[in-house]
Amino acid sequence: MNRQTTYADSGVNIELGDDASQVLYEAAKLTWKNRKGKLGEVVEIFEDFSGLRAINVGGLPADTYMNINFDGVGTKMELGERINKHDTVAFDLFAMVCDDAVVRGAEPIIVGSLLDVRSLGEKDNSYIDFVKQLAVGYINAAKDANVAIVNGEVAELGARVSGYGPFNYNWGAGVVWFARKDRMLTGREIKEGDSLVGLREEGFRSNGLSLVRKIMKNNYGENWHLVDRKGMHDLERVMIKEVLIPSKIYTGAVVDMFGGFNGEPKAEIHGVAHITGGGVPGKLGRVLKPSGLGAVIDEPFDPSDIMSYIQSLGNVNDKEAYKTWNMGQGMIVVTPNPKEVIEVTHDYGIESKVIGEVVREAGITIKNKGVYSKGEELKF
């Protein structure tokens, strides 16, 4: 008798899929307390991991706006795959969606995600432990962003998902945000003389990693993740650990600054730039565009040591580096009262300082902290 073909033969293990979904569901439940008593408190209508969760938005003011931001981690996941470290990837995911929401003066409320994996393995040799690592990051990142997670979708897609090693995945998310019209940031609020407060970032966030991977492979070969800066196989000092530094989540601090949906503002802010793809020139330039004003950044943070090292290793010119990576500032807040902004960031353990100011002439000038013409002015 011919053996009957099963779903598992195609690379999809239904039982393991349920196990993985259960792990992420239990992680999600632990985040619901982040919104308890606030707009976005999660209501579980049916108590099972496939049941319906919702939030009650009845009775909101007429000037309430809602939207959804979507994004993903990008290629940073491949770095985690190289050293089987996945417990910080959620910080990169949540930073990309939640920190993008606050630039408009919105408060992120709930997050939903979709985890596509190549395979969850087999019953006796599964990758559930890696999913549990992802879940740990899920919980901790949601706490930093002060959001609740309402799902934990997992899909096995076989060869449609690839990467390094046996456990490959793509992770994307959407965040639902709410805002009050008079608190939203349009860019037109920005005035000449406003201060630019930089919020420190020690890592690459989740941008420019394709260039990092190309530089490292060109210089150290396919297994570059096993070497330190001297090319030695020192597993305690491998460079990939520095490249994998999780993104700082600034959401909580910025929401406190403008007061969120219905809280008391702690600082006056006129604009927020989240420094991701396009770097400082691209993201700050977008925020300044409605006002027609420019910026001079004369005291930026230094890029991290690993960022400078990779810039030099790959012979990336300084202007290109500032257009590709954050170069030390993960977010820039435009404000007439920098002291208030800095005090709020310190409450969240975020290093910050005044890095420049808004000027009348359009364009952005940065006092270079790159490796080639340090101290010179770069004009964008």
Side-chain angles (χ1 to χ4, degrees):
M1 180 181 293
N2 292 333
R3 176 182 176 274
Q4 291 187 336
T5 302
T6 67
Y7 204 4
D9 291 330
S10 68
V12 178
N13 190 316
I14 297 174
E15 289 183 7
L16 286 177
D18 285 346
D19 289 345
S21 293
Q22 185 72 45
V23 168
L24 293 180
Y25 167 70
E26 294 299 335
K29 284 183 70 174
L30 293 177
T31 73
W32 297 352
K33 61 187 177 183
N34 297 337
R35 302 304 307 177
K36 190 170 181 61
K38 304 174 182 177
L39 172 65
E41 183 171 358
V42 178
V43 178
E44 188 176 26
I45 301 173
F46 305 110
E47 271 195 46
D48 63 85
F49 76 87
S50 63
L52 181 64
R53 278 82 68 188
I55 62 172
N56 188 333
V57 296
L60 292 179
D63 64 342
T64 297
Y65 289 86
M66 185 202 84
N67 206 334
I68 307 176
N69 283 1
F70 296 95
D71 211 337
V73 181
T75 63
K76 196 168 187 177
M77 290 170 296
E78 196 258 8
L79 307 182
E81 292 170 0
R82 285 175 173 267
I83 58 173
N84 296 325
K85 182 173 173 57
H86 308 285
D87 59 330
T88 63
V89 176
F91 283 84
D92 302 300
L93 180 63
F94 280 53
M96 293 305 102
V97 293
C98 296
D99 284 353
D100 266 359
V102 298
V103 303
R104 284 297 191 182
E107 181 174 358
I109 303 295
I110 57 175
V111 168
S113 75
L114 175 59
L115 178 67
D116 291 333
V117 301
R118 181 183 182 92
S119 171
L120 288 167
E122 301 173 359
K123 190 169 185 179
D124 296 329
N125 185 28
S126 77
Y127 304 130
I128 294 298
D129 283 345
F130 293 145
V131 177
K132 290 178 180 178
Q133 285 190 40
L134 292 172
V136 168
Y138 218 34
I139 297 165
N140 294 331
K143 183 177 181 180
D144 274 11
N146 199 27
V147 296
I149 304 168
V150 292
N151 79 327
E153 298 299 321
V154 181
E156 287 184 277
L157 301 184
R160 297 286 294 181
V161 179
S162 62
Y164 188 96
F167 180 63
N168 311 133
Y169 60 102
N170 292 318
W171 208 5
V175 61
V176 175
W177 58 254
F178 286 82
R180 302 292 289 275
K181 187 175 182 180
D182 63 352
R183 294 189 175 191
M184 297 187 76
L185 302 170
T186 68
R188 296 181 179 85
E189 300 86 357
I190 297 173
K191 302 291 189 293
E192 181 183 359
D194 279 350
S195 294
L196 304 175
V197 177
L199 279 55
R200 182 82 167 102
E201 174 57 83
E202 297 177 355
F204 284 90
R205 295 187 75 71
S206 195
N207 302 94
L209 274 303
S210 293
L211 179 58
V212 171
R213 290 164 56 236
K214 180 179 180 180
I215 291 170
M216 300 304 279
K217 182 178 179 180
N218 287 347
N219 284 273
Y220 294 108
E222 178 60 36
N223 293 321
W224 64 268
H225 60 285
L226 299 176
V227 301
D228 62 16
R229 297 192 197 188
K230 297 179 181 179
M232 305 296 290
H233 286 242
D234 184 345
L235 298 183
E236 294 301 316
R237 298 177 182 271
V238 288
M239 290 176 283
I240 195 170
K241 291 183 178 180
E242 296 177 86
V243 180
L244 258 176
I245 290 173
S247 300
K248 193 75 173 176
I249 296 176
Y250 305 109
T251 295
V254 178
V255 166
D256 261 9
M257 290 174 200
F258 66 79
F261 181 75
N262 56 4
E264 188 68 29
K266 293 185 178 179
E268 182 180 353
I269 61 176
H270 290 168
V272 180
H274 181 200
I275 312 305
T276 54
V280 173
K283 294 308 189 205
L284 181 59
R286 180 185 297 179
V287 171
L288 291 169
K289 187 175 181 180
S291 69
L293 299 170
V296 172
I297 299 176
D298 52 9
E299 291 292 337
F301 281 108
D302 291 328
S304 63
D305 288 344
I306 189 64
M307 193 173 288
S308 296
Y309 178 79
I310 291 175
Q311 183 196 349
S312 178
L313 190 67
N315 194 28
V316 179
N317 72 60
D318 294 326
K319 291 192 74 171
E320 186 67 20
Y322 271 98
K323 290 191 292 184
T324 304
W325 301 315
N326 61 69
M327 298 298 279
Q329 19 280 311
M331 186 166 276
I332 297 174
V333 178
V334 186
T335 175
N337 298 308
K339 183 179 178 182
E340 296 174 350
V341 168
I342 291 171
E343 286 175 352
V344 174
T345 63
H346 288 174
D347 289 341
Y348 283 81
I350 298 169
E351 185 181 355
S352 64
K353 68 175 183 177
V354 175
I355 62 172
E357 69 174 356
V358 176
V359 297
R360 181 180 298 276
E361 184 179 353
I364 296 174
T365 300
I366 302 174
K367 187 176 181 180
N368 183 31
K369 292 293 186 75
V371 298
Y372 293 110
S373 55
K374 192 169 292 187
E376 293 185 9
E377 290 186 346
L378 302 177
K379 293 187 179 295
F380 298 90

PDB file of all heavy atoms in Angstrom, residues 73-87:
ATOM      1  N   VAL A  73      11.779  43.855  10.465  1.00  0.00           N
ATOM      2  CA  VAL A  73      13.131  43.930  11.025  1.00  0.00           C
ATOM      3  C   VAL A  73      14.188  44.079   9.933  1.00  0.00           C
ATOM      4  O   VAL A  73      15.286  44.546  10.188  1.00  0.00           O
ATOM      5  CB  VAL A  73      13.417  42.671  11.878  1.00  0.00           C
ATOM      6  CG1 VAL A  73      14.807  42.726  12.482  1.00  0.00           C
ATOM      7  CG2 VAL A  73      12.386  42.531  12.979  1.00  0.00           C
ATOM      8  N   GLY A  74      13.869  43.685   8.709  1.00  0.00           N
ATOM      9  CA  GLY A  74      14.880  43.748   7.658  1.00  0.00           C
ATOM     10  C   GLY A  74      15.842  42.576   7.752  1.00  0.00           C
ATOM     11  O   GLY A  74      15.466  41.480   8.171  1.00  0.00           O
ATOM     12  N   THR A  75      17.100  42.814   7.399  1.00  0.00           N
ATOM     13  CA  THR A  75      18.057  41.704   7.340  1.00  0.00           C
ATOM     14  C   THR A  75      18.803  41.480   8.649  1.00  0.00           C
ATOM     15  O   THR A  75      19.686  40.630   8.719  1.00  0.00           O
ATOM     16  CB  THR A  75      19.091  41.940   6.218  1.00  0.00           C
ATOM     17  OG1 THR A  75      19.852  43.115   6.501  1.00  0.00           O
ATOM     18  CG2 THR A  75      18.409  42.089   4.876  1.00  0.00           C
ATOM     19  N   LYS A  76      18.449  42.219   9.689  1.00  0.00           N
ATOM     20  CA  LYS A  76      19.133  42.029  10.977  1.00  0.00           C
ATOM     21  C   LYS A  76      18.873  40.632  11.539  1.00  0.00           C
ATOM     22  O   LYS A  76      19.676  40.104  12.312  1.00  0.00           O
ATOM     23  CB  LYS A  76      18.680  43.094  11.968  1.00  0.00           C
ATOM     24  CG  LYS A  76      19.596  43.228  13.188  1.00  0.00           C
ATOM     25  CD  LYS A  76      19.286  44.467  13.990  1.00  0.00           C
ATOM     26  CE  LYS A  76      20.301  44.683  15.105  1.00  0.00           C
ATOM     27  NZ  LYS A  76      20.048  45.937  15.869  1.00  0.00           N
ATOM     28  N   MET A  77      17.755  40.027  11.140  1.00  0.00           N
ATOM     29  CA  MET A  77      17.448  38.677  11.621  1.00  0.00           C
ATOM     30  C   MET A  77      18.509  37.678  11.200  1.00  0.00           C
ATOM     31  O   MET A  77      18.814  36.735  11.933  1.00  0.00           O
ATOM     32  CB  MET A  77      16.085  38.237  11.086  1.00  0.00           C
ATOM     33  CG  MET A  77      14.934  38.981  11.704  1.00  0.00           C
ATOM     34  SD  MET A  77      13.371  38.674  10.870  1.00  0.00           S
ATOM     35  CE  MET A  77      13.685  39.370   9.262  1.00  0.00           C
ATOM     36  N   GLU A  78      19.103  37.891  10.008  1.00  0.00           N
ATOM     37  CA  GLU A  78      20.115  36.958   9.533  1.00  0.00           C
ATOM     38  C   GLU A  78      21.328  36.946  10.458  1.00  0.00           C
ATOM     39  O   GLU A  78      21.991  35.912  10.616  1.00  0.00           O
ATOM     40  CB  GLU A  78      20.536  37.339   8.098  1.00  0.00           C
ATOM     41  CG  GLU A  78      21.279  36.252   7.358  1.00  0.00           C
ATOM     42  CD  GLU A  78      22.786  36.473   7.304  1.00  0.00           C
ATOM     43  OE1 GLU A  78      23.285  37.398   7.979  1.00  0.00           O
ATOM     44  OE2 GLU A  78      23.462  35.726   6.591  1.00  0.00           O
ATOM     45  N   LEU A  79      21.580  38.069  11.127  1.00  0.00           N
ATOM     46  CA  LEU A  79      22.695  38.127  12.080  1.00  0.00           C
ATOM     47  C   LEU A  79      22.382  37.273  13.300  1.00  0.00           C
ATOM     48  O   LEU A  79      23.252  36.570  13.820  1.00  0.00           O
ATOM     49  CB  LEU A  79      22.953  39.580  12.498  1.00  0.00           C
ATOM     50  CG  LEU A  79      23.164  40.589  11.356  1.00  0.00           C
ATOM     51  CD1 LEU A  79      23.455  41.968  11.922  1.00  0.00           C
ATOM     52  CD2 LEU A  79      24.281  40.141  10.433  1.00  0.00           C
ATOM     53  N   GLY A  80      21.122  37.356  13.764  1.00  0.00           N
ATOM     54  CA  GLY A  80      20.726  36.517  14.884  1.00  0.00           C
ATOM     55  C   GLY A  80      20.794  35.040  14.536  1.00  0.00           C
ATOM     56  O   GLY A  80      21.181  34.202  15.364  1.00  0.00           O
ATOM     57  N   GLU A  81      20.445  34.706  13.289  1.00  0.00           N
ATOM     58  CA  GLU A  81      20.506  33.321  12.848  1.00  0.00           C
ATOM     59  C   GLU A  81      21.931  32.786  12.890  1.00  0.00           C
ATOM     60  O   GLU A  81      22.144  31.595  13.147  1.00  0.00           O
ATOM     61  CB  GLU A  81      19.959  33.207  11.419  1.00  0.00           C
ATOM     62  CG  GLU A  81      18.456  33.464  11.310  1.00  0.00           C
ATOM     63  CD  GLU A  81      17.974  33.594   9.879  1.00  0.00           C
ATOM     64  OE1 GLU A  81      18.809  33.484   8.951  1.00  0.00           O
ATOM     65  OE2 GLU A  81      16.765  33.813   9.686  1.00  0.00           O
ATOM     66  N   ARG A  82      22.895  33.648  12.653  1.00  0.00           N
ATOM     67  CA  ARG A  82      24.293  33.212  12.610  1.00  0.00           C
ATOM     68  C   ARG A  82      24.816  32.739  13.962  1.00  0.00           C
ATOM     69  O   ARG A  82      25.680  31.860  14.018  1.00  0.00           O
ATOM     70  CB  ARG A  82      25.185  34.336  12.063  1.00  0.00           C
ATOM     71  CG  ARG A  82      25.070  34.535  10.560  1.00  0.00           C
ATOM     72  CD  ARG A  82      25.866  35.727  10.063  1.00  0.00           C
ATOM     73  NE  ARG A  82      25.868  35.783   8.612  1.00  0.00           N
ATOM     74  CZ  ARG A  82      26.806  35.242   7.830  1.00  0.00           C
ATOM     75  NH1 ARG A  82      27.831  34.627   8.385  1.00  0.00           N
ATOM     76  NH2 ARG A  82      26.718  35.316   6.525  1.00  0.00           N
ATOM     77  N   ILE A  83      24.322  33.346  15.042  1.00  0.00           N
ATOM     78  CA  ILE A  83      24.826  32.956  16.368  1.00  0.00           C
ATOM     79  C   ILE A  83      23.698  32.455  17.283  1.00  0.00           C
ATOM     80  O   ILE A  83      23.860  32.387  18.505  1.00  0.00           O
ATOM     81  CB  ILE A  83      25.603  34.112  17.046  1.00  0.00           C
ATOM     82  CG1 ILE A  83      24.739  35.354  17.195  1.00  0.00           C
ATOM     83  CG2 ILE A  83      26.875  34.417  16.275  1.00  0.00           C
ATOM     84  CD1 ILE A  83      25.426  36.464  18.005  1.00  0.00           C
ATOM     85  N   ASN A  84      22.571  32.095  16.669  1.00  0.00           N
ATOM     86  CA  ASN A  84      21.432  31.543  17.414  1.00  0.00           C
ATOM     87  C   ASN A  84      21.000  32.446  18.565  1.00  0.00           C
ATOM     88  O   ASN A  84      20.685  31.978  19.662  1.00  0.00           O
ATOM     89  CB  ASN A  84      21.771  30.140  17.943  1.00  0.00           C
ATOM     90  CG  ASN A  84      22.015  29.140  16.832  1.00  0.00           C
ATOM     91  OD1 ASN A  84      21.375  29.199  15.782  1.00  0.00           O
ATOM     92  ND2 ASN A  84      22.957  28.237  17.034  1.00  0.00           N
ATOM     93  N   LYS A  85      20.990  33.739  18.316  1.00  0.00           N
ATOM     94  CA  LYS A  85      20.571  34.698  19.340  1.00  0.00           C
ATOM     95  C   LYS A  85      19.392  35.505  18.793  1.00  0.00           C
ATOM     96  O   LYS A  85      19.550  36.313  17.877  1.00  0.00           O
ATOM     97  CB  LYS A  85      21.722  35.635  19.714  1.00  0.00           C
ATOM     98  CG  LYS A  85      21.363  36.637  20.812  1.00  0.00           C
ATOM     99  CD  LYS A  85      22.582  37.429  21.269  1.00  0.00           C
ATOM    100  CE  LYS A  85      22.190  38.544  22.228  1.00  0.00           C
ATOM    101  NZ  LYS A  85      21.462  38.075  23.426  1.00  0.00           N
ATOM    102  N   HIS A  86      18.222  35.294  19.392  1.00  0.00           N
ATOM    103  CA  HIS A  86      17.004  35.902  18.870  1.00  0.00           C
ATOM    104  C   HIS A  86      16.226  36.697  19.924  1.00  0.00           C
ATOM    105  O   HIS A  86      15.147  37.198  19.631  1.00  0.00           O
ATOM    106  CB  HIS A  86      16.093  34.804  18.296  1.00  0.00           C
ATOM    107  CG  HIS A  86      16.782  33.896  17.322  1.00  0.00           C
ATOM    108  ND1 HIS A  86      17.084  34.285  16.034  1.00  0.00           N
ATOM    109  CD2 HIS A  86      17.255  32.626  17.448  1.00  0.00           C
ATOM    110  CE1 HIS A  86      17.692  33.287  15.402  1.00  0.00           C
ATOM    111  NE2 HIS A  86      17.814  32.276  16.250  1.00  0.00           N
ATOM    112  N   ASP A  87      16.775  36.805  21.134  1.00  0.00           N
ATOM    113  CA  ASP A  87      16.002  37.381  22.232  1.00  0.00           C
ATOM    114  C   ASP A  87      15.927  38.901  22.218  1.00  0.00           C
ATOM    115  O   ASP A  87      15.233  39.490  23.055  1.00  0.00           O
ATOM    116  CB  ASP A  87      16.553  36.909  23.588  1.00  0.00           C
ATOM    117  CG  ASP A  87      18.012  37.280  23.796  1.00  0.00           C
ATOM    118  OD1 ASP A  87      18.766  37.367  22.804  1.00  0.00           O
ATOM    119  OD2 ASP A  87      18.411  37.477  24.963  1.00  0.00           O
TER     120      ASP A  87
END
